[in-house]
Amino acid sequence: MDFELRILGSSSATPSANRHHTAQLLTIDNQFHLIDCGEGTQMQLMLYKIKHQRISNIYISHLHGDHYFGLAGLLSTMHLQGRQQPLHLFGPPGLSEILSLQLKYSGTNLTFKLIFHELDTTIYRKIYEDKKITVHTLPMEHRVPCCGFLFREKPKPRPLIKENLPGFLTPPQLVRLKWGEDIRDEHGNVLVRNSVVTLEPKRSRSYAYCADSRYKPDLLPYLKGVDLLYHEATFLDDMRERAHYTFHSTARQAAEMAAAAQVRHLLLGHFSVRYKDLTPLLEEAKEVFAKSDLATEGSIFCVQE
Amino acid sequence: MDFELRILGSSSATPSANRHHTAQLLTIDNQFHLIDCGEGTQMQLMLYKIKHQRISNIYISHLHGDHYFGLAGLLSTMHLQGRQQPLHLFGPPGLSEILSLQLKYSGTNLTFKLIFHELDTTIYRKIYEDKKITVHTLPMEHRVPCCGFLFREKPKPRPLIKENLPGFLTPPQLVRLKWGEDIRDEHGNVLVRNSVVTLEPKRSRSYAYCADSRYKPDLLPYLKGVDLLYHEATFLDDMRERAHYTFHSTARQAAEMAAAAQVRHLLLGHFSVRYKDLTPLLEEAKEVFAKSDLATEGSIFCVQE
């Protein structure tokens, strides 16, 4: 089952010649989740030959333009191409009002159902769940209401060791074994010990997207042990004061979060346009957390089961 | 004095891999006029190394996204880069409301004065004037309120033939000669005949931007003899019915307008994404009006004095 992150944009507030505004596509088990949608996202999707009609969920972290000015255009293109399947849109208060106004003045009656989920960006809360995953908000500390998103696979069933299975087990008993139970008789005595007939389940993978924010260590409990952590790194650490003042983070701070949360892999993004060469940002992070990478346009990060 | 049109985008409703949404930069005597501002316009300006801070006027024809979804991002970048000089924005009802909402939710207090001029898209009316030019609206026939824009240089002074000038002329008399008057004595007798001491003035150049519209021959009086006519040509003429139904035009219709208005040069744009190769559109127009061109990304069209 795939668990893959594709970076569509890595630039902060203003774009540069080769860096686009924030957007990421997370694919989990063939389901497309679009995270933020800066201006030009639909063109980036086209560039990487990603079919936008396959996106089922869009998550907008906050209402600074570099995170959502591509949304109306993407929805418009979906509409013009006759999309039928519903689209779930998660975003802060105000987003629905803006889109409604844009649709009104363009005389557009969408061909598909747009299901808007207004977010409380101040708390950690489950906002989406299906058979395979959950998505929670992660409260950020920014100049406007802003949240990140934590994607987690649900626990997976334990594979059965067929050759060790006694013949008398019923289908419901097999299901219980898959979910870790022992099989007991009516007196409570163990008939089949789970550890004898099952293997460890595959790992439940996770991705934490930390959008624009000041350094915010109270996020650590939510980030503990995630496979992939994206953390904004607008500045180098010599601009730590400016980062604090503008409600952003430095590459070192991103790495400190990764180290403290013991994540597996850190991705840096949302780079200030002042950095033509991003190597110093990466090097700064790696001093603190070795498994760091730049989340630049076109990069793909896969998490193995 | 320059009079130059740069094409930033040529695609209709949905963008394609190599065609962007509508935007054009008209430079007249070093003044930058941006006409429409589809998604990605700020990146296109960057690509062509055009300094967006030099734009003084922005004109939005209508509120379909492919004509204005890049505006909020461009204004945001102007703001983030500390623009100080005022910006004149001309657009239909609703544009100001949408931008105000976007600015409100992003917590942005622009660093510059944005002077919004709400347009009546249903009439031909002067909306801008300075020492050198006038700009008028051109009423279009589209699914939502929509207008084009007619840019005209004002009449230019007649150059003086210095060697023919008598020595007794005062500065005010010289000015009157430049504007075509004869100089007379108190009895009305001609002292200096204008035609003897002045040359024909340089031409006053003009550009008519016909935005999204059905074929609309009642525009002809306004377009008569313009130097440069941009006319949308969404479809080939075999889709004339669809063009009518969707309030668009065909390449042949654009050329018929150019021929009837006796313009000097026709530019075709706003091409449907169905046309990978634009040659048939150009050929169709040229059958009716030889001096036709495709207004594709990066093209520059200069009008000589």
Side-chain angles (χ1 to χ4, degrees):
Chain A
M1 204 170 87
D2 55 330
F3 193 110
E4 179 188 295
L5 182 71
R6 164 82 84 155
I7 307 301
L8 303 171
S10 72
S11 192
S12 65
T14 58
S16 73
N18 54 0
R19 295 211 293 269
H20 292 254
H21 277 156
T22 303
Q24 304 185 352
L25 187 81
L26 180 67
T27 311
I28 305 177
D29 193 26
N30 237 356
Q31 191 183 7
F32 284 22
H33 303 262
L34 182 67
I35 308 167
D36 278 338
C37 189
E39 183 176 355
T41 296
Q42 63 171 319
M43 282 79 119
Q44 287 292 90
L45 288 167
M46 221 183 308
L47 178 67
Y48 298 120
K49 302 192 189 312
I50 296 163
K51 291 192 168 63
H52 59 70
Q53 300 294 29
R54 293 186 56 196
I55 296 169
S56 60
N57 293 10
I58 300 181
Y59 308 82
I60 301 296
S61 63
H62 65 301
L63 294 187
H64 280 155
D66 55 324
H67 292 257
Y68 88 99
F69 278 168
L71 180 60
L74 178 61
L75 298 181
S76 169
T77 296
M78 287 172 165
H79 161 76
L80 288 165
Q81 296 187 357
R83 180 183 177 111
Q84 293 294 314
Q85 67 271 37
L87 181 75
H88 290 272
L89 175 62
F90 304 82
L95 181 57
S96 170
E97 190 182 350
I98 291 168
L99 289 175
S100 299
L101 207 57
Q102 290 178 314
L103 291 171
K104 173 185 141 191
Y105 282 111
S106 67
T108 305
N109 194 357
L110 290 175
T111 55
F112 59 94
K113 193 169 177 186
L114 182 65
I115 304 153
F116 184 68
H117 305 264
E118 188 167 292
L119 302 178
D120 180 345
T121 60
T122 64
I123 52 170
Y124 173 80
R125 174 183 282 174
K126 187 164 70 188
I127 56 169
Y128 176 76
E129 179 171 18
D130 62 22
K131 283 184 185 171
K132 302 262 174 73
I133 65 162
T134 57
V135 185
H136 286 74
T137 46
L138 295 169
M140 300 287 124
E141 189 175 343
H142 199 43
R143 295 194 301 279
V144 295
C146 178
C147 65
F149 303 100
L150 176 60
F151 299 79
R152 270 193 193 285
E153 283 186 317
K154 290 184 173 177
K156 297 175 183 178
R158 303 176 70 86
L160 299 172
I161 308 170
K162 286 185 181 163
E163 54 273 29
N164 293 4
L165 288 173
F168 59 79
L169 290 167
T170 63
Q173 286 175 321
L174 289 172
V175 170
R176 282 157 55 200
L177 282 168
K178 282 185 183 176
W179 291 106
E181 286 184 44
D182 295 327
I183 302 300
R184 294 167 188 272
D185 64 17
E186 64 268 33
H187 308 295
N189 303 313
V190 172
L191 291 177
V192 183
R193 188 164 299 280
N194 196 289
S195 59
V196 176
V197 298
T198 70
L199 298 169
E200 282 300 304
K202 288 186 174 170
R203 299 176 51 250
S204 294
R205 295 163 294 182
S206 51
Y207 173 51
Y209 171 81
C210 287
D212 296 16
S213 184
R214 267 183 187 162
Y215 179 63
K216 192 167 190 286
D218 61 4
L219 285 172
L220 287 171
Y222 310 122
L223 306 181
K224 200 80 185 170
V226 299
D227 290 284
L228 211 50
L229 167 66
Y230 167 88
H231 197 291
E232 72 123 295
T234 307
F235 299 109
L236 280 170
D237 209 53
D238 61 359
M239 298 191 75
R240 188 178 273 241
E241 275 186 36
R242 181 168 168 83
H244 183 79
Y245 171 73
T246 57
F247 290 80
H248 285 297
S249 300
T250 71
R252 175 175 296 276
Q253 289 174 326
E256 283 167 358
M257 290 287 282
Q262 296 176 293
V263 307
R264 290 190 163 213
H265 193 172
L266 169 66
L267 306 179
L268 306 171
H270 201 264
F271 309 114
S272 164
V273 75
R274 79 188 60 219
Y275 304 114
K276 303 278 176 273
D277 174 16
L278 300 175
T279 319
L281 290 141
L282 181 59
E283 284 174 354
E284 181 175 285
K286 282 191 166 179
E287 281 173 21
V288 177
F289 189 78
K291 186 68 181 146
S292 298
D293 268 305
L294 298 172
T296 47
E297 282 71 5
S299 311
I300 298 177
F301 302 96
C302 296
V303 183
Q304 301 305 321
E305 278 188 302
Chain B
M1 204 169 88
D2 55 329
F3 192 110
E4 180 188 295
L5 182 71
R6 164 83 85 155
I7 308 301
L8 303 171
S10 73
S11 192
S12 66
T14 58
S16 73
N18 54 1
R19 295 212 294 269
H20 292 255
H21 277 156
T22 302
Q24 304 185 352
L25 187 81
L26 179 67
T27 310
I28 305 177
D29 193 26
N30 236 356
Q31 192 185 6
F32 283 22
H33 302 263
L34 181 68
I35 308 166
D36 278 337
C37 189
E39 183 175 353
T41 296
Q42 63 171 319
M43 283 78 120
Q44 288 293 90
L45 289 168
M46 220 183 309
L47 178 67
Y48 299 120
K49 302 193 189 311
I50 296 164
K51 291 192 168 63
H52 59 70
Q53 299 295 29
R54 292 186 55 195
I55 295 168
S56 60
N57 294 11
I58 301 180
Y59 308 83
I60 300 296
S61 64
H62 66 299
L63 295 186
H64 280 155
D66 55 324
H67 292 257
Y68 88 99
F69 279 169
L71 178 61
L74 177 60
L75 298 181
S76 169
T77 296
M78 286 173 166
H79 162 76
L80 289 165
Q81 295 186 358
R83 180 183 177 111
Q84 292 294 314
Q85 67 271 37
L87 181 75
H88 290 272
L89 174 62
F90 303 82
L95 181 57
S96 170
E97 189 182 351
I98 292 168
L99 289 175
S100 298
L101 206 56
Q102 289 178 314
L103 291 171
K104 173 185 139 188
Y105 282 110
S106 66
T108 304
N109 193 357
L110 290 176
T111 55
F112 59 94
K113 192 168 176 188
L114 182 65
I115 303 153
F116 184 67
H117 305 264
E118 188 167 292
L119 302 178
D120 180 344
T121 60
T122 64
I123 51 170
Y124 173 78
R125 175 183 282 175
K126 187 165 70 188
I127 56 169
Y128 176 76
E129 180 172 17
D130 61 23
K131 284 185 185 171
K132 302 259 174 73
I133 66 163
T134 56
V135 184
H136 286 74
T137 46
L138 295 169
M140 300 287 124
E141 189 175 342
H142 199 45
R143 295 194 301 281
V144 295
C146 178
C147 63
F149 303 100
L150 176 60
F151 298 80
R152 271 194 192 283
E153 283 185 317
K154 290 185 172 176
K156 296 176 184 177
R158 304 176 69 87
L160 300 172
I161 308 170
K162 286 186 182 161
E163 53 273 29
N164 293 3
L165 289 174
F168 60 79
L169 290 166
T170 63
Q173 287 173 321
L174 290 172
V175 170
R176 283 157 53 200
L177 283 167
K178 282 183 184 176
W179 291 106
E181 287 184 43
D182 296 327
I183 302 300
R184 297 169 187 267
D185 64 17
E186 63 269 35
H187 309 295
N189 304 313
V190 172
L191 292 177
V192 183
R193 189 165 299 282
N194 196 289
S195 60
V196 176
V197 297
T198 70
L199 297 169
E200 282 301 302
K202 288 186 175 171
R203 300 177 50 250
S204 293
R205 295 163 294 183
S206 51
Y207 173 52
Y209 171 81
C210 287
D212 296 16
S213 184
R214 267 184 186 162
Y215 180 62
K216 193 168 190 286
D218 60 4
L219 285 173
L220 286 172
Y222 310 122
L223 306 181
K224 200 78 185 170
V226 300
D227 291 283
L228 211 50
L229 167 65
Y230 167 89
H231 197 291
E232 73 122 297
T234 308
F235 299 108
L236 280 170
D237 208 55
D238 62 357
M239 299 191 75
R240 189 179 273 240
E241 276 187 35
R242 182 169 168 82
H244 183 80
Y245 172 72
T246 58
F247 290 80
H248 285 296
S249 302
T250 72
R252 175 175 296 276
Q253 289 174 325
E256 283 166 358
M257 291 287 282
Q262 296 177 290
V263 308
R264 291 190 160 211
H265 192 173
L266 169 65
L267 306 179
L268 306 169
H270 201 264
F271 309 114
S272 163
V273 75
R274 78 188 60 219
Y275 304 115
K276 303 279 176 270
D277 174 17
L278 301 175
T279 318
L281 290 140
L282 181 60
E283 284 174 355
E284 181 175 285
K286 282 191 166 179
E287 282 173 21
V288 177
F289 189 78
K291 185 69 181 146
S292 298
D293 269 305
L294 299 171
T296 47
E297 283 71 4
S299 310
I300 297 177
F301 302 95
C302 295
V303 184
Q304 301 305 320
E305 277 187 304

